[in-house]
Amino acid sequence: MILIDPPAVARWDRLWSHLASDTSYDEVHAFAAAHGVPARGWDRDHYDVPADAYDALVAAGAVPVTSREIVAALRAAGLRRPKARFRDQH
């Protein structure tokens, strides 16, 4: 299933949503490509998509969920790729 959270992340003078799959990276890549989401929007385990794309992506079949639900779904599917944490080397 393709999941999308509400536009809530502010960057570059816009609000952004996250588009992900609870099944596979292939599924979300195919959905994104079919609906004009640029590959440069990919960020480890999801696409960042601008708020103005939200309604069209929901109309195309993305299921609206919360941000926490996206993270939980990615973890449950073994697809979560969190940002690397760096330790001080002192």
Side-chain angles (χ1 to χ4, degrees), residues 1-4 17-21 24-43 45-50 53 56-58 60-62:
M1 176 171 29
I2 299 297
L3 310 171
I4 191 167
S17 291
H18 302 105
L19 184 73
S21 168
S24 70
Y25 299 129
D26 289 342
E27 180 185 38
V28 71
H29 289 311
F31 184 90
H35 299 288
V37 177
R40 70 178 177 274
W42 181 247
D43 185 16
D45 56 11
H46 66 275
Y47 282 90
D48 293 323
V49 295
L57 293 170
V58 170

Side-chain angles (χ1 to χ4, degrees), residues 37-88:
V37 177
R40 70 178 177 274
W42 181 247
D43 185 16
R44 298 179 323 275
D45 56 11
H46 66 275
Y47 282 90
D48 293 323
V49 295
D52 58 1
Y54 180 85
D55 289 337
L57 293 170
V58 170
V63 177
V65 297
T66 66
S67 298
R68 288 181 185 211
E69 289 172 308
I70 285 183
V71 172
L74 288 168
R75 283 185 180 143
L79 299 173
R80 182 71 173 134
R81 290 183 181 165
K83 289 183 180 178
R85 294 181 183 219
F86 295 98
R87 294 188 292 153
D88 270 347

